[in-house]
Amino acid sequence: MSWMITRSKFLRQVALGLGAALMVAACGGDEQAETPTGTAGDAAPAGGVLRVGTEPAFPPFESQGAGGELEGFDIDLMQAIGEQANLEVEFESLPFDGLIPALQAGSVDAAISAMTITEERAQTISFSRPYFVAGLAIAVQEGTADVAGLDDLEGKRIAVQIGTTGASKAAEISGAQITTFDSAPLALQELANGNVDAVINDAPVTLDAIASGNIQGLEVVGELLTEEYYGIALPQNSPNVEVINSALAELIANGTYAEIYQKWFDAEPPELPESAF
Ligand code: ARG
């Protein structure tokens, strides 16, 4: 699959290169063709490479296949955005709580990692327009009788992934003992092992872990605790915000977004707002 994308991208670049060469020839110019939209600093210019960070233990958004290759909704979407924007996407696996520091340090140009657009994060980084609607859910061991919602978690042991909105939600619960893990599957496994009473995590990911059989003996209880929009994260005021937003808008309009959504969620995508707040 990624080979196909690389190949078609390669062919397209060859075609573009040919076109440019012909144009220069037609104009009779012998000066060097200008680099397309060169941008200052370390921002990726259009037609260049976009280094994209992700924490790939969050299926069905990002995970590693048997051979270590990245796969998931976010991965396909980011590749499609790259195709659309004529950027070559190079993924880099990073811890989730290292993504924002990496954007700030400029060691990656973007991050796609089922990252919720929050006002707090938006103070230090920029986000694309929303590309997914999700929300937090509580998971417990199957048959747990005394947890039906957030209020029932007071004083309980809760596992979360470090640096996530689930971790922030858990921190609001009075008397809760919170254990943080580097990944969501580790937090869910701790619950399956009976070492904590609940996990607060993104509903689509917890539901996928249960449905796929990756984690056994758990169930989701109660209503979603939040409604959250995922966005692609970028360094503050990066010129790529516009590039990614227009590519995303085009993929939504031309049905590619819906196709990728179908592939991973077996459903029609919901309407997405143009902005999260
Ligand atoms: N949506 C949550 C947040 O932004 C969790 C994201 C975790 N993503 C991941 N790839 N582990 O905080």
Side-chain angles (χ1 to χ4, degrees):
M1 166 105 197
S2 58
W3 181 84
M4 297 272 293
I5 285 171
T6 314
R7 180 170 167 272
S8 66
K9 174 141 209 297
F10 173 69
L11 291 177
R12 193 150 47 94
Q13 276 174 349
V14 169
L16 283 173
L18 261 180
L22 287 176
M23 248 170 65
V24 172
C27 300
D30 52 7
E31 64 274 82
Q32 290 278 313
E34 277 201 2
T35 348
T37 51
T39 29
D42 53 9
V49 170
L50 193 73
R51 300 162 303 168
V52 181
T54 189
E55 191 277 308
F58 214 60
F61 295 96
E62 42 266 334
S63 59
Q64 277 175 290
E69 72 286 0
L70 293 176
E71 58 185 31
F73 176 82
D74 284 357
I75 305 302
D76 284 355
L77 182 64
M78 199 65 230
Q79 295 280 19
I81 289 171
E83 290 258 293
Q84 182 66 40
N86 191 29
L87 288 167
E88 191 187 324
V89 173
E90 255 174 30
F91 287 104
E92 190 175 323
S93 298
L94 290 167
F96 186 73
D97 65 346
L99 291 171
I100 291 177
L103 290 167
Q104 291 176 311
S107 58
V108 293
D109 305 305
I112 191 161
S113 212
M115 192 186 286
T116 302
I117 302 172
T118 67
E119 309 236 15
E120 195 190 342
R121 289 172 178 161
Q123 282 169 14
T124 53
I125 53 167
S126 291
F127 281 102
S128 70
R129 55 181 283 166
Y131 72 83
F132 195 88
V133 194
L136 294 172
I138 300 170
V140 294
Q141 284 204 342
E142 244 165 11
T144 302
D146 63 340
V147 177
L150 202 58
D151 296 344
D152 304 320
L153 293 181
E154 291 190 4
K156 291 237 168 18
R157 300 166 302 168
I158 305 172
V160 295
Q161 182 184 10
I162 192 163
T164 59
T165 49
S168 311
K169 193 47 131 189
E172 292 170 10
I173 303 169
S174 78
Q177 302 164 49
I178 300 163
T179 320
T180 53
F181 290 86
D182 287 343
S183 78
L186 288 174
L188 290 166
Q189 192 55 54
E190 188 77 349
L191 174 60
N193 293 347
N195 297 328
V196 292
D197 304 304
V199 163
I200 300 181
N201 184 43
D202 298 38
V205 171
T206 298
L207 291 171
D208 183 80
I210 295 170
S212 68
N214 283 347
I215 309 272
Q216 311 220 325
L218 303 187
E219 64 180 339
V220 162
V221 288
E223 316 251 291
L224 289 188
L225 307 177
T226 51
E227 182 176 69
E228 304 186 3
Y229 294 111
Y230 296 164
I232 295 166
L234 298 114
Q236 200 144 49
N237 304 320
S238 158
N240 289 319
V241 174
E242 257 328 290
V243 175
I244 286 177
N245 277 344
S246 17
L248 203 43
E250 181 57 29
L251 297 175
I252 292 170
N254 74 14
T256 306
Y257 174 86
E259 236 173 72
I260 298 172
Y261 196 99
Q262 270 291 345
K263 172 178 166 191
W264 292 99
F265 299 100
D266 208 8
E268 294 285 321
E271 283 278 328
L272 289 166
E274 277 183 35
S275 119
F277 324 116

mmCIF file of all heavy atoms in Angstrom, residues 197-247:
data_model
loop_
_atom_site.group_PDB
_atom_site.id
_atom_site.type_symbol
_atom_site.label_atom_id
_atom_site.label_comp_id
_atom_site.label_asym_id
_atom_site.label_seq_id
_atom_site.Cartn_x
_atom_site.Cartn_y
_atom_site.Cartn_z
ATOM 1 N N ASP A 197 -9.056 -0.031 38.773
ATOM 2 C CA ASP A 197 -10.513 -0.188 38.673
ATOM 3 C C ASP A 197 -11.079 0.319 37.354
ATOM 4 O O ASP A 197 -12.179 -0.083 36.965
ATOM 5 C CB ASP A 197 -11.180 0.589 39.817
ATOM 6 C CG ASP A 197 -10.652 0.158 41.175
ATOM 7 O OD1 ASP A 197 -10.724 -1.053 41.473
ATOM 8 O OD2 ASP A 197 -10.137 1.024 41.918
ATOM 9 N N ALA A 198 -10.357 1.221 36.692
ATOM 10 C CA ALA A 198 -10.908 1.795 35.460
ATOM 11 C C ALA A 198 -9.800 2.401 34.607
ATOM 12 O O ALA A 198 -8.708 2.685 35.108
ATOM 13 C CB ALA A 198 -11.941 2.877 35.803
ATOM 14 N N VAL A 199 -10.111 2.586 33.339
ATOM 15 C CA VAL A 199 -9.234 3.314 32.413
ATOM 16 C C VAL A 199 -10.072 4.420 31.783
ATOM 17 O O VAL A 199 -11.226 4.187 31.406
ATOM 18 C CB VAL A 199 -8.671 2.387 31.308
ATOM 19 C CG1 VAL A 199 -8.124 3.186 30.125
ATOM 20 C CG2 VAL A 199 -7.585 1.474 31.867
ATOM 21 N N ILE A 200 -9.508 5.620 31.672
ATOM 22 C CA ILE A 200 -10.164 6.680 30.899
ATOM 23 C C ILE A 200 -9.319 6.902 29.650
ATOM 24 O O ILE A 200 -8.139 7.235 29.733
ATOM 25 C CB ILE A 200 -10.308 7.986 31.709
ATOM 26 C CG1 ILE A 200 -11.143 7.726 32.967
ATOM 27 C CG2 ILE A 200 -10.964 9.071 30.842
ATOM 28 C CD1 ILE A 200 -11.373 8.968 33.829
ATOM 29 N N ASN A 201 -9.959 6.671 28.507
ATOM 30 C CA ASN A 201 -9.225 6.709 27.236
ATOM 31 C C ASN A 201 -10.204 7.055 26.119
ATOM 32 O O ASN A 201 -11.422 6.986 26.289
ATOM 33 C CB ASN A 201 -8.611 5.318 26.995
ATOM 34 C CG ASN A 201 -7.747 5.243 25.759
ATOM 35 O OD1 ASN A 201 -6.958 6.142 25.491
ATOM 36 N ND2 ASN A 201 -7.895 4.172 24.993
ATOM 37 N N ASP A 202 -9.674 7.393 24.962
ATOM 38 C CA ASP A 202 -10.509 7.702 23.804
ATOM 39 C C ASP A 202 -11.408 6.505 23.468
ATOM 40 O O ASP A 202 -10.898 5.382 23.271
ATOM 41 C CB ASP A 202 -9.633 8.043 22.595
ATOM 42 C CG ASP A 202 -8.772 9.278 22.847
ATOM 43 O OD1 ASP A 202 -8.283 9.441 23.980
ATOM 44 O OD2 ASP A 202 -8.576 10.070 21.907
ATOM 45 N N ALA A 203 -12.706 6.745 23.383
ATOM 46 C CA ALA A 203 -13.668 5.671 23.158
ATOM 47 C C ALA A 203 -13.364 4.808 21.926
ATOM 48 O O ALA A 203 -13.389 3.575 22.023
ATOM 49 C CB ALA A 203 -15.086 6.250 23.078
ATOM 50 N N PRO A 204 -13.055 5.407 20.765
ATOM 51 C CA PRO A 204 -12.853 4.539 19.582
ATOM 52 C C PRO A 204 -11.706 3.553 19.770
ATOM 53 O O PRO A 204 -11.735 2.450 19.215
ATOM 54 C CB PRO A 204 -12.517 5.521 18.455
ATOM 55 C CG PRO A 204 -12.819 6.880 18.948
ATOM 56 C CD PRO A 204 -12.889 6.839 20.439
ATOM 57 N N VAL A 205 -10.708 3.954 20.564
ATOM 58 C CA VAL A 205 -9.528 3.109 20.759
ATOM 59 C C VAL A 205 -9.822 1.993 21.765
ATOM 60 O O VAL A 205 -9.475 0.830 21.542
ATOM 61 C CB VAL A 205 -8.324 3.983 21.192
ATOM 62 C CG1 VAL A 205 -7.138 3.142 21.609
ATOM 63 C CG2 VAL A 205 -7.957 4.922 20.045
ATOM 64 N N THR A 206 -10.503 2.342 22.841
ATOM 65 C CA THR A 206 -10.875 1.321 23.824
ATOM 66 C C THR A 206 -11.838 0.314 23.193
ATOM 67 O O THR A 206 -11.680 -0.898 23.363
ATOM 68 C CB THR A 206 -11.515 1.988 25.061
ATOM 69 O OG1 THR A 206 -10.542 2.841 25.664
ATOM 70 C CG2 THR A 206 -11.965 0.948 26.069
ATOM 71 N N LEU A 207 -12.805 0.823 22.435
ATOM 72 C CA LEU A 207 -13.773 -0.084 21.790
ATOM 73 C C LEU A 207 -13.080 -0.994 20.782
ATOM 74 O O LEU A 207 -13.396 -2.178 20.678
ATOM 75 C CB LEU A 207 -14.890 0.729 21.109
ATOM 76 C CG LEU A 207 -15.817 1.448 22.090
ATOM 77 C CD1 LEU A 207 -16.747 2.407 21.353
ATOM 78 C CD2 LEU A 207 -16.643 0.431 22.917
ATOM 79 N N ASP A 208 -12.115 -0.465 20.064
ATOM 80 C CA ASP A 208 -11.373 -1.266 19.093
ATOM 81 C C ASP A 208 -10.546 -2.343 19.793
ATOM 82 O O ASP A 208 -10.454 -3.482 19.316
ATOM 83 C CB ASP A 208 -10.455 -0.354 18.267
ATOM 84 C CG ASP A 208 -9.703 -1.115 17.185
ATOM 85 O OD1 ASP A 208 -10.316 -1.374 16.135
ATOM 86 O OD2 ASP A 208 -8.533 -1.475 17.396
ATOM 87 N N ALA A 209 -9.940 -1.993 20.923
ATOM 88 C CA ALA A 209 -9.119 -2.971 21.664
ATOM 89 C C ALA A 209 -9.995 -4.132 22.145
ATOM 90 O O ALA A 209 -9.587 -5.297 22.109
ATOM 91 C CB ALA A 209 -8.435 -2.298 22.844
ATOM 92 N N ILE A 210 -11.227 -3.795 22.570
ATOM 93 C CA ILE A 210 -12.150 -4.836 23.030
ATOM 94 C C ILE A 210 -12.646 -5.669 21.845
ATOM 95 O O ILE A 210 -12.593 -6.893 21.866
ATOM 96 C CB ILE A 210 -13.338 -4.204 23.803
ATOM 97 C CG1 ILE A 210 -12.832 -3.541 25.095
ATOM 98 C CG2 ILE A 210 -14.416 -5.250 24.095
ATOM 99 C CD1 ILE A 210 -13.863 -2.692 25.821
ATOM 100 N N ALA A 211 -13.081 -4.987 20.779
ATOM 101 C CA ALA A 211 -13.653 -5.691 19.624
ATOM 102 C C ALA A 211 -12.621 -6.580 18.926
ATOM 103 O O ALA A 211 -12.947 -7.658 18.438
ATOM 104 C CB ALA A 211 -14.227 -4.678 18.629
ATOM 105 N N SER A 212 -11.369 -6.136 18.892
ATOM 106 C CA SER A 212 -10.342 -6.905 18.193
ATOM 107 C C SER A 212 -9.848 -8.080 19.022
ATOM 108 O O SER A 212 -9.131 -8.942 18.517
ATOM 109 C CB SER A 212 -9.155 -5.998 17.881
ATOM 110 O OG SER A 212 -8.509 -5.640 19.088
ATOM 111 N N GLY A 213 -10.215 -8.103 20.307
ATOM 112 C CA GLY A 213 -9.744 -9.175 21.186
ATOM 113 C C GLY A 213 -8.324 -8.937 21.683
ATOM 114 O O GLY A 213 -7.759 -9.771 22.384
ATOM 115 N N ASN A 214 -7.765 -7.770 21.353
ATOM 116 C CA ASN A 214 -6.412 -7.451 21.839
ATOM 117 C C ASN A 214 -6.358 -7.413 23.365
ATOM 118 O O ASN A 214 -5.340 -7.724 23.964
ATOM 119 C CB ASN A 214 -5.942 -6.100 21.298
ATOM 120 C CG ASN A 214 -5.501 -6.193 19.852
ATOM 121 O OD1 ASN A 214 -5.318 -7.293 19.326
ATOM 122 N ND2 ASN A 214 -5.341 -5.056 19.198
ATOM 123 N N ILE A 215 -7.448 -6.952 23.961
ATOM 124 C CA ILE A 215 -7.553 -6.912 25.419
ATOM 125 C C ILE A 215 -8.849 -7.635 25.770
ATOM 126 O O ILE A 215 -9.870 -7.386 25.146
ATOM 127 C CB ILE A 215 -7.645 -5.455 25.938
ATOM 128 C CG1 ILE A 215 -6.533 -4.584 25.370
ATOM 129 C CG2 ILE A 215 -7.686 -5.417 27.458
ATOM 130 C CD1 ILE A 215 -5.239 -4.538 26.127
ATOM 131 N N GLN A 216 -8.795 -8.513 26.761
ATOM 132 C CA GLN A 216 -9.985 -9.310 27.059
ATOM 133 C C GLN A 216 -10.586 -8.978 28.423
ATOM 134 O O GLN A 216 -9.869 -8.574 29.331
ATOM 135 C CB GLN A 216 -9.619 -10.788 27.016
ATOM 136 C CG GLN A 216 -8.854 -11.104 25.738
ATOM 137 C CD GLN A 216 -9.243 -12.409 25.109
ATOM 138 O OE1 GLN A 216 -9.547 -13.376 25.805
ATOM 139 N NE2 GLN A 216 -9.240 -12.448 23.799
ATOM 140 N N GLY A 217 -11.910 -9.173 28.493
ATOM 141 C CA GLY A 217 -12.604 -9.060 29.771
ATOM 142 C C GLY A 217 -12.946 -7.651 30.194
ATOM 143 O O GLY A 217 -13.243 -7.416 31.361
ATOM 144 N N LEU A 218 -12.936 -6.710 29.242
ATOM 145 C CA LEU A 218 -13.269 -5.321 29.593
ATOM 146 C C LEU A 218 -14.564 -4.885 28.923
ATOM 147 O O LEU A 218 -14.971 -5.448 27.907
ATOM 148 C CB LEU A 218 -12.149 -4.366 29.163
ATOM 149 C CG LEU A 218 -10.751 -4.613 29.704
ATOM 150 C CD1 LEU A 218 -9.830 -3.468 29.295
ATOM 151 C CD2 LEU A 218 -10.756 -4.787 31.222
ATOM 152 N N GLU A 219 -15.194 -3.865 29.489
ATOM 153 C CA GLU A 219 -16.345 -3.244 28.829
ATOM 154 C C GLU A 219 -16.329 -1.740 29.067
ATOM 155 O O GLU A 219 -15.725 -1.260 30.030
ATOM 156 C CB GLU A 219 -17.660 -3.857 29.318
ATOM 157 C CG GLU A 219 -17.931 -3.632 30.782
ATOM 158 C CD GLU A 219 -19.253 -4.255 31.242
ATOM 159 O OE1 GLU A 219 -20.119 -4.505 30.389
ATOM 160 O OE2 GLU A 219 -19.404 -4.476 32.455
ATOM 161 N N VAL A 220 -17.018 -1.028 28.172
ATOM 162 C CA VAL A 220 -17.149 0.422 28.313
ATOM 163 C C VAL A 220 -18.466 0.689 29.022
ATOM 164 O O VAL A 220 -19.481 0.081 28.697
ATOM 165 C CB VAL A 220 -17.105 1.102 26.924
ATOM 166 C CG1 VAL A 220 -17.655 2.514 26.969
ATOM 167 C CG2 VAL A 220 -15.667 1.109 26.401
ATOM 168 N N VAL A 221 -18.443 1.590 30.013
ATOM 169 C CA VAL A 221 -19.687 1.904 30.732
ATOM 170 C C VAL A 221 -20.055 3.377 30.577
ATOM 171 O O VAL A 221 -19.185 4.228 30.363
ATOM 172 C CB VAL A 221 -19.583 1.594 32.253
ATOM 173 C CG1 VAL A 221 -19.578 0.105 32.494
ATOM 174 C CG2 VAL A 221 -18.364 2.261 32.878
ATOM 175 N N GLY A 222 -21.347 3.635 30.716
ATOM 176 C CA GLY A 222 -21.832 5.018 30.746
ATOM 177 C C GLY A 222 -21.733 5.727 29.410
ATOM 178 O O GLY A 222 -21.500 5.130 28.366
ATOM 179 N N GLU A 223 -21.933 7.021 29.506
ATOM 180 C CA GLU A 223 -21.910 7.874 28.327
ATOM 181 C C GLU A 223 -20.484 8.325 28.041
ATOM 182 O O GLU A 223 -19.629 8.230 28.911
ATOM 183 C CB GLU A 223 -22.717 9.147 28.619
ATOM 184 C CG GLU A 223 -24.024 8.911 29.321
ATOM 185 C CD GLU A 223 -25.174 9.171 28.383
ATOM 186 O OE1 GLU A 223 -25.365 10.354 28.036
ATOM 187 O OE2 GLU A 223 -25.835 8.200 27.983
ATOM 188 N N LEU A 224 -20.277 8.873 26.850
ATOM 189 C CA LEU A 224 -18.980 9.499 26.574
ATOM 190 C C LEU A 224 -18.820 10.682 27.540
ATOM 191 O O LEU A 224 -19.769 11.407 27.808
ATOM 192 C CB LEU A 224 -18.925 10.002 25.127
ATOM 193 C CG LEU A 224 -18.854 8.930 24.041
ATOM 194 C CD1 LEU A 224 -18.619 9.576 22.686
ATOM 195 C CD2 LEU A 224 -17.778 7.892 24.335
ATOM 196 N N LEU A 225 -17.624 10.849 28.072
ATOM 197 C CA LEU A 225 -17.381 11.913 29.046
ATOM 198 C C LEU A 225 -17.162 13.261 28.375
ATOM 199 O O LEU A 225 -17.312 14.313 29.015
ATOM 200 C CB LEU A 225 -16.130 11.589 29.879
ATOM 201 C CG LEU A 225 -16.097 10.219 30.559
ATOM 202 C CD1 LEU A 225 -14.756 10.026 31.274
ATOM 203 C CD2 LEU A 225 -17.254 10.084 31.538
ATOM 204 N N THR A 226 -16.753 13.224 27.108
ATOM 205 C CA THR A 226 -16.412 14.463 26.398
ATOM 206 C C THR A 226 -16.728 14.287 24.918
ATOM 207 O O THR A 226 -16.915 13.161 24.449
ATOM 208 C CB THR A 226 -14.886 14.746 26.456
ATOM 209 O OG1 THR A 226 -14.187 13.570 26.029
ATOM 210 C CG2 THR A 226 -14.420 15.132 27.831
ATOM 211 N N GLU A 227 -16.780 15.412 24.204
ATOM 212 C CA GLU A 227 -16.737 15.357 22.746
ATOM 213 C C GLU A 227 -15.431 16.057 22.354
ATOM 214 O O GLU A 227 -15.169 17.163 22.820
ATOM 215 C CB GLU A 227 -17.920 16.084 22.115
ATOM 216 C CG GLU A 227 -17.881 15.961 20.606
ATOM 217 C CD GLU A 227 -19.077 16.590 19.925
ATOM 218 O OE1 GLU A 227 -19.193 17.841 19.951
ATOM 219 O OE2 GLU A 227 -19.898 15.847 19.364
ATOM 220 N N GLU A 228 -14.597 15.373 21.585
ATOM 221 C CA GLU A 228 -13.283 15.923 21.255
ATOM 222 C C GLU A 228 -13.038 15.824 19.754
ATOM 223 O O GLU A 228 -13.460 14.875 19.116
ATOM 224 C CB GLU A 228 -12.187 15.134 21.997
ATOM 225 C CG GLU A 228 -12.398 15.119 23.512
ATOM 226 C CD GLU A 228 -11.273 14.475 24.305
ATOM 227 O OE1 GLU A 228 -10.267 14.067 23.695
ATOM 228 O OE2 GLU A 228 -11.409 14.407 25.541
ATOM 229 N N TYR A 229 -12.354 16.821 19.235
ATOM 230 C CA TYR A 229 -11.973 16.797 17.823
ATOM 231 C C TYR A 229 -10.483 16.561 17.708
ATOM 232 O O TYR A 229 -9.700 17.207 18.393
ATOM 233 C CB TYR A 229 -12.310 18.133 17.155
ATOM 234 C CG TYR A 229 -13.792 18.404 17.096
ATOM 235 C CD1 TYR A 229 -14.364 19.421 17.854
ATOM 236 C CD2 TYR A 229 -14.607 17.620 16.284
ATOM 237 C CE1 TYR A 229 -15.734 19.659 17.803
ATOM 238 C CE2 TYR A 229 -15.978 17.858 16.234
ATOM 239 C CZ TYR A 229 -16.530 18.875 16.993
ATOM 240 O OH TYR A 229 -17.872 19.109 16.939
ATOM 241 N N TYR A 230 -10.107 15.637 16.840
ATOM 242 C CA TYR A 230 -8.687 15.430 16.573
ATOM 243 C C TYR A 230 -8.238 16.398 15.486
ATOM 244 O O TYR A 230 -8.973 16.664 14.529
ATOM 245 C CB TYR A 230 -8.413 14.008 16.058
ATOM 246 C CG TYR A 230 -8.716 12.888 17.009
ATOM 247 C CD1 TYR A 230 -8.829 11.579 16.532
ATOM 248 C CD2 TYR A 230 -8.860 13.099 18.383
ATOM 249 C CE1 TYR A 230 -9.090 10.512 17.380
ATOM 250 C CE2 TYR A 230 -9.118 12.027 19.246
ATOM 251 C CZ TYR A 230 -9.237 10.737 18.731
ATOM 252 O OH TYR A 230 -9.490 9.686 19.569
ATOM 253 N N GLY A 231 -7.006 16.864 15.650
ATOM 254 C CA GLY A 231 -6.411 17.720 14.629
ATOM 255 C C GLY A 231 -4.968 17.313 14.393
ATOM 256 O O GLY A 231 -4.348 16.676 15.247
ATOM 257 N N ILE A 232 -4.456 17.667 13.237
ATOM 258 C CA ILE A 232 -3.031 17.465 12.971
ATOM 259 C C ILE A 232 -2.310 18.635 13.647
ATOM 260 O O ILE A 232 -2.729 19.786 13.518
ATOM 261 C CB ILE A 232 -2.764 17.430 11.453
ATOM 262 C CG1 ILE A 232 -3.469 16.204 10.862
ATOM 263 C CG2 ILE A 232 -1.259 17.415 11.159
ATOM 264 C CD1 ILE A 232 -3.589 16.222 9.365
ATOM 265 N N ALA A 233 -1.278 18.306 14.414
ATOM 266 C CA ALA A 233 -0.579 19.335 15.189
ATOM 267 C C ALA A 233 0.629 19.837 14.398
ATOM 268 O O ALA A 233 1.314 19.056 13.733
ATOM 269 C CB ALA A 233 -0.147 18.757 16.522
ATOM 270 N N LEU A 234 0.866 21.140 14.493
ATOM 271 C CA LEU A 234 1.983 21.764 13.772
ATOM 272 C C LEU A 234 2.661 22.781 14.682
ATOM 273 O O LEU A 234 2.056 23.258 15.641
ATOM 274 C CB LEU A 234 1.466 22.463 12.507
ATOM 275 C CG LEU A 234 0.808 21.514 11.504
ATOM 276 C CD1 LEU A 234 -0.666 21.817 11.362
ATOM 277 C CD2 LEU A 234 1.502 21.611 10.166
ATOM 278 N N PRO A 235 3.901 23.137 14.364
ATOM 279 C CA PRO A 235 4.529 24.209 15.133
ATOM 280 C C PRO A 235 3.664 25.460 15.013
ATOM 281 O O PRO A 235 2.987 25.654 13.999
ATOM 282 C CB PRO A 235 5.872 24.416 14.430
ATOM 283 C CG PRO A 235 6.133 23.138 13.704
ATOM 284 C CD PRO A 235 4.794 22.617 13.312
ATOM 285 N N GLN A 236 3.690 26.298 16.049
ATOM 286 C CA GLN A 236 2.822 27.464 16.055
ATOM 287 C C GLN A 236 3.038 28.309 14.799
ATOM 288 O O GLN A 236 4.167 28.627 14.448
ATOM 289 C CB GLN A 236 3.089 28.307 17.293
ATOM 290 C CG GLN A 236 1.929 29.211 17.600
ATOM 291 C CD GLN A 236 1.738 29.362 19.093
ATOM 292 O OE1 GLN A 236 2.691 29.624 19.810
ATOM 293 N NE2 GLN A 236 0.527 29.189 19.556
ATOM 294 N N ASN A 237 1.901 28.626 14.158
ATOM 295 C CA ASN A 237 1.903 29.460 12.946
ATOM 296 C C ASN A 237 2.741 28.907 11.793
ATOM 297 O O ASN A 237 3.252 29.667 10.973
ATOM 298 C CB ASN A 237 2.361 30.883 13.279
ATOM 299 C CG ASN A 237 1.505 31.479 14.364
ATOM 300 O OD1 ASN A 237 0.290 31.277 14.372
ATOM 301 N ND2 ASN A 237 2.116 32.177 15.305
ATOM 302 N N SER A 238 2.873 27.598 11.738
ATOM 303 C CA SER A 238 3.600 26.991 10.616
ATOM 304 C C SER A 238 2.878 27.283 9.296
ATOM 305 O O SER A 238 1.646 27.261 9.237
ATOM 306 C CB SER A 238 3.656 25.473 10.828
ATOM 307 O OG SER A 238 3.873 24.814 9.601
ATOM 308 N N PRO A 239 3.626 27.564 8.236
ATOM 309 C CA PRO A 239 2.989 27.780 6.925
ATOM 310 C C PRO A 239 2.268 26.522 6.434
ATOM 311 O O PRO A 239 1.416 26.589 5.551
ATOM 312 C CB PRO A 239 4.169 28.125 6.009
ATOM 313 C CG PRO A 239 5.393 27.670 6.731
ATOM 314 C CD PRO A 239 5.079 27.703 8.195
ATOM 315 N N ASN A 240 2.614 25.373 7.017
ATOM 316 C CA ASN A 240 1.968 24.120 6.601
ATOM 317 C C ASN A 240 0.536 23.977 7.105
ATOM 318 O O ASN A 240 -0.182 23.080 6.676
ATOM 319 C CB ASN A 240 2.805 22.919 7.049
ATOM 320 C CG ASN A 240 4.088 22.808 6.249
ATOM 321 O OD1 ASN A 240 4.072 23.010 5.039
ATOM 322 N ND2 ASN A 240 5.188 22.530 6.925
ATOM 323 N N VAL A 241 0.111 24.842 8.051
ATOM 324 C CA VAL A 241 -1.281 24.767 8.521
ATOM 325 C C VAL A 241 -2.207 24.949 7.323
ATOM 326 O O VAL A 241 -3.135 24.154 7.103
ATOM 327 C CB VAL A 241 -1.573 25.829 9.607
ATOM 328 C CG1 VAL A 241 -3.044 25.825 9.974
ATOM 329 C CG2 VAL A 241 -0.707 25.596 10.841
ATOM 330 N N GLU A 242 -1.941 25.983 6.534
ATOM 331 C CA GLU A 242 -2.777 26.273 5.367
ATOM 332 C C GLU A 242 -2.702 25.162 4.328
ATOM 333 O O GLU A 242 -3.705 24.761 3.740
ATOM 334 C CB GLU A 242 -2.323 27.592 4.722
ATOM 335 C CG GLU A 242 -3.233 28.736 5.033
ATOM 336 C CD GLU A 242 -4.679 28.299 5.196
ATOM 337 O OE1 GLU A 242 -5.340 27.902 4.207
ATOM 338 O OE2 GLU A 242 -5.144 28.318 6.374
ATOM 339 N N VAL A 243 -1.477 24.670 4.104
ATOM 340 C CA VAL A 243 -1.242 23.610 3.121
ATOM 341 C C VAL A 243 -2.058 22.370 3.497
ATOM 342 O O VAL A 243 -2.760 21.775 2.667
ATOM 343 C CB VAL A 243 0.272 23.269 3.078
ATOM 344 C CG1 VAL A 243 0.549 22.090 2.162
ATOM 345 C CG2 VAL A 243 1.086 24.486 2.657
ATOM 346 N N ILE A 244 -1.982 21.994 4.785
ATOM 347 C CA ILE A 244 -2.683 20.792 5.252
ATOM 348 C C ILE A 244 -4.188 21.023 5.264
ATOM 349 O O ILE A 244 -4.963 20.145 4.878
ATOM 350 C CB ILE A 244 -2.126 20.368 6.626
ATOM 351 C CG1 ILE A 244 -0.740 19.735 6.413
ATOM 352 C CG2 ILE A 244 -3.070 19.414 7.354
ATOM 353 C CD1 ILE A 244 -0.017 19.315 7.655
ATOM 354 N N ASN A 245 -4.615 22.205 5.680
ATOM 355 C CA ASN A 245 -6.051 22.478 5.696
ATOM 356 C C ASN A 245 -6.667 22.436 4.303
ATOM 357 O O ASN A 245 -7.763 21.904 4.127
ATOM 358 C CB ASN A 245 -6.332 23.842 6.335
ATOM 359 C CG ASN A 245 -6.357 23.753 7.852
ATOM 360 O OD1 ASN A 245 -6.461 22.650 8.409
ATOM 361 N ND2 ASN A 245 -6.252 24.885 8.511
ATOM 362 N N SER A 246 -5.980 22.969 3.317
ATOM 363 C CA SER A 246 -6.605 22.925 1.980
ATOM 364 C C SER A 246 -6.589 21.511 1.427
ATOM 365 O O SER A 246 -7.552 21.099 0.781
ATOM 366 C CB SER A 246 -6.018 23.919 0.980
ATOM 367 O OG SER A 246 -4.799 24.391 1.385
ATOM 368 N N ALA A 247 -5.525 20.743 1.719
ATOM 369 C CA ALA A 247 -5.510 19.348 1.264
ATOM 370 C C ALA A 247 -6.654 18.569 1.928
ATOM 371 O O ALA A 247 -7.378 17.823 1.264
ATOM 372 C CB ALA A 247 -4.167 18.705 1.591
#
